[in-house]
Amino acid sequence: MEFSRKFHVIEMLISAILLLGLLSSSVAEVRAVEQSTVIEFPALNCRKHSAVLTDFGGVGDGKTSNTEAFKAAITNLSQLAPDGGAQLVVPPGKWLTGSFNLTSHFTLFIHKDAIILGTQDETEWPLLPVLPSYGRGRDAPGGRFSSLIFGTNLTDVVITGNNGTIDGQGAYWWTKFKQGKLNETRPYLIEIMYSNRVQISNLTLVNSPSWNVHPIYSSDIIIQYLTIIAPVDSPNTDGIDPDSCTNTRIEDSFVVSGDDCIAVKSGWDEYGIKFNMSTKHLIIRRFTCISPDSAAIALGSEMSGGIEDVRAENITAINTQSGVRIKTAVGRGGYVKDIYVRNMILSTMKYVFWMTGSYTQHPDPGFDPKALPIIKGINYKDIVADNVTYAARLEGIENDPFTDICISNVDIKLSAKPKELQWNCTDVQGVTSRVTPDACNLLPEKEIDCTFPEERLPIEDVELKTCSVTGNF
């Protein structure tokens, strides 16, 4: 086989540990200058003005609420947007806070010795209306709590640091969810809506109440050097969820999650069809996932606005349910098409390939049973996998098959107790080439190298500037 099996389980675990070390060191450079410290960091834009949270009454004792301090700081600094913008530095300490909103031409910089703590006082989490492409909350029919760090209708916003931490203290919310005591949807850690030119980078996110990073209805987004950690049994703690977004770059990140490490979305059933905003031109690269009950990368299940032109490469998954999973159902409508995946290294997996046409969660009974999704142009190549239970479970929809599937150059080594039927295929059409074990009859052998686009997307060529903060840290 051309693509030789170069990696074993121990080597993959070591690579994940090394990646964590890379993320913790970040790309920031620190040097001492005249009793102050200058911290350099990469950003979309540098700011002319700078302030520290303590300038606005912030108290970093882990007990005092800083919600009003964050609001006062950002309100004040927002006035400087026309004059070169501003950055707010969160210095060393533990900064308890509820939800706060960002502003345009703004950088939130979280110091490596700073921890932003999500409060468990629900009165400090304002309620927002349901998302128009969803029609209801994901946890309950009502509205939703605002995310810890929230922004809407912004341009040029940066959330970064030299590996500072955001801790959502999610156990409070997970318990309420499991007990069925929620009337509104849990908050996320970071949500940016209707915005463009967004950067989220060089941070550690832990214990989110629900999803961690949720850009939605936005464009020109760079997400990099994130470490995201949640207990593997925590509910719905997705890592990064680009949702109805265009031109997004996700790279050099590590996620341990109770749900999908990355979940690509675009709206739910009739609401997503009506809103009609796809996710497209998405880059995912140099990404590592651990999620025993979910996917490294999920496409859907909320995909009613469409998902297209997704390019994923150099992906590592360890002790994860599946590599890339497509989730959809009758009533979703929309499409998942032009998907390209290459260079995946997988170890201890239930499935390597998984496509599901019967993911039957719906927002309400009003979905259209005639709204059938289109799944086509799915390309996987150059994949090695160890300790696998099932090679593939590919389930299309009766009278709506998933088509133009191409899988090439794949070497799967099975677990000690694999399932007898390794390729379970229904209502799918495509080809395979140089795949071990042999694929199902619906994906016959054909000498082919599956496609991966070589032309670059504009978001790949966005270069970050070297910016700095100065202070007595």
Side-chain angles (χ1 to χ4, degrees):
M1 173 170 287
E2 286 181 25
F3 190 72
S4 62
R5 297 175 39 78
K6 298 180 180 178
F7 296 89
H8 297 287
V9 180
I10 294 175
E11 292 172 303
M12 285 185 280
L13 287 169
I14 290 172
S15 70
I17 293 168
L18 290 175
L19 178 58
L20 273 173
L22 171 65
L23 296 177
S24 65
S25 63
S26 180
V27 296
E29 178 185 338
V30 182
R31 66 179 188 270
V33 179
E34 296 180 354
Q35 297 182 345
S36 293
T37 299
V38 177
I39 304 174
E40 295 183 344
F41 63 95
L44 288 169
N45 282 300
C46 304
R47 311 303 178 190
K48 181 178 178 181
H49 305 277
S50 185
V52 180
L53 186 61
T54 50
D55 296 339
F56 300 89
V59 179
D61 62 2
K63 300 177 182 179
T64 304
S65 173
N66 290 279
T67 307
E68 294 306 316
F70 275 109
K71 290 179 179 179
I74 296 168
T75 297
N76 182 285
L77 296 175
S78 68
Q79 301 173 48
L80 301 171
D83 185 33
Q87 60 192 16
L88 176 64
V89 179
V90 182
K94 295 182 178 180
W95 308 91
L96 185 69
T97 183
S99 174
F100 58 89
N101 296 350
L102 302 182
T103 189
S104 294
H105 307 293
F106 177 81
T107 296
L108 178 68
F109 183 91
I110 305 172
H111 187 276
K112 66 180 180 63
D113 296 322
I115 303 174
I116 294 178
L117 294 169
T119 182
Q120 295 180 349
D121 180 354
E122 291 187 21
T123 65
E124 296 200 54
W125 301 84
L127 290 176
L128 300 176
V130 298
L131 293 166
S133 60
Y134 282 72
R136 59 157 281 167
R138 291 302 279 112
D139 293 339
R144 58 202 192 96
F145 290 99
S146 179
S147 296
L148 186 61
I149 299 174
F150 180 73
T152 186
N153 294 292
L154 305 180
T155 188
D156 180 21
V157 61
V158 176
I159 307 168
T160 191
N162 58 339
N163 204 41
T165 298
I166 303 172
D167 184 347
Q169 300 199 104
Y172 167 84
W173 300 95
W174 305 334
T175 298
K176 289 195 69 172
F177 173 77
K178 291 175 180 178
Q179 294 175 346
K181 294 182 178 180
L182 287 170
N183 297 314
E184 293 84 16
T185 293
R186 288 165 286 163
Y188 308 144
L189 279 191
I190 299 173
E191 183 176 65
I192 304 294
M193 298 176 59
Y194 299 112
S195 299
N196 67 85
R197 295 166 58 205
V198 176
Q199 175 189 338
I200 304 169
S201 68
N202 300 94
L203 298 169
T204 294
L205 312 181
V206 298
N207 299 324
S208 177
S210 184
W211 303 350
N212 279 270
V213 178
H214 185 222
I216 182 168
Y217 317 143
S218 296
S219 62
D220 303 314
I221 302 157
I222 295 176
I223 299 171
Q224 61 181 201
Y225 296 105
L226 296 185
T227 300
I228 299 176
I229 306 291
V232 295
D233 61 351
S234 56
N236 312 116
T237 49
D238 300 21
I240 303 167
D241 289 8
D243 196 339
S244 296
C245 288
T246 300
N247 296 326
T248 303
R249 187 170 110 202
I250 301 171
E251 59 192 3
D252 300 301
S253 294
F254 177 88
V255 176
V256 180
S257 173
D259 210 310
D260 300 318
C261 289
I262 293 176
V264 184
K265 302 176 182 289
S266 67
W268 202 7
D269 284 8
E270 69 268 32
Y271 304 101
I273 294 170
K274 180 179 180 180
F275 196 79
N276 192 31
M277 184 179 290
S278 66
T279 288
K280 59 186 177 182
H281 309 320
L282 169 62
I283 299 290
I284 304 170
R285 59 194 182 190
R286 301 184 300 274
F287 183 82
T288 299
C289 168
I290 298 174
S291 184
D293 295 318
S294 293
I297 301 171
L299 305 172
S301 75
E302 306 93 329
M303 39 63 67
S304 300
I307 297 170
E308 64 179 307
D309 191 11
V310 177
R311 309 176 186 191
E313 59 182 329
N314 301 322
I315 309 299
T316 299
I318 303 165
N319 190 22
T320 295
Q321 189 178 53
S322 59
V324 178
R325 184 182 181 190
I326 296 174
K327 301 188 285 188
T328 188
V330 170
R332 286 290 194 271
Y335 53 84
V336 176
K337 64 182 182 180
D338 302 333
I339 308 301
Y340 310 98
V341 181
R342 68 180 176 187
N343 298 343
M344 294 188 74
I345 302 168
L346 311 175
S347 180
T348 311
M349 311 289 293
K350 185 173 183 180
Y351 304 103
V352 174
F353 307 109
W354 195 4
M355 301 181 187
T356 306
S358 57
Y359 205 86
T360 53
Q361 292 182 352
H362 299 284
D364 55 45
F367 70 91
D368 180 2
K370 296 180 180 180
L372 300 178
I374 297 171
I375 312 298
K376 70 175 185 177
I378 313 300
N379 298 272
Y380 302 128
K381 63 187 289 187
D382 301 344
I383 297 170
V384 293
D386 279 306
N387 196 24
V388 172
T389 305
Y390 294 90
R393 180 178 175 182
L394 309 178
E395 301 171 336
I397 297 172
E398 187 176 1
N399 299 318
D400 182 33
F402 299 172
T403 62
D404 299 329
I405 298 167
C406 182
I407 303 174
S408 69
N409 209 24
V410 176
D411 188 7
I412 300 170
K413 288 291 185 290
L414 302 179
S415 63
K417 296 181 179 180
K419 296 297 181 179
E420 183 176 351
L421 180 62
Q422 277 298 306
W423 287 76
N424 188 351
C425 307
T426 55
D427 298 300
V428 296
Q429 173 271 321
V431 296
T432 55
S433 179
R434 304 181 308 281
V435 171
T436 305
D438 292 341
C440 56
N441 292 335
L442 295 179
L443 300 176
E445 174 78 16
K446 178 182 180 181
E447 185 56 40
I448 192 172
D449 187 28
C450 301
T451 302
F452 194 99
E454 296 302 326
E455 74 277 8
R456 293 171 66 84
L457 293 175
I459 192 66
E460 295 184 79
D461 294 323
V462 175
E463 296 185 359
L464 303 182
K465 301 173 183 178
T466 300
C467 306
S468 65
V469 298
T470 303
N472 296 314
F473 303 128

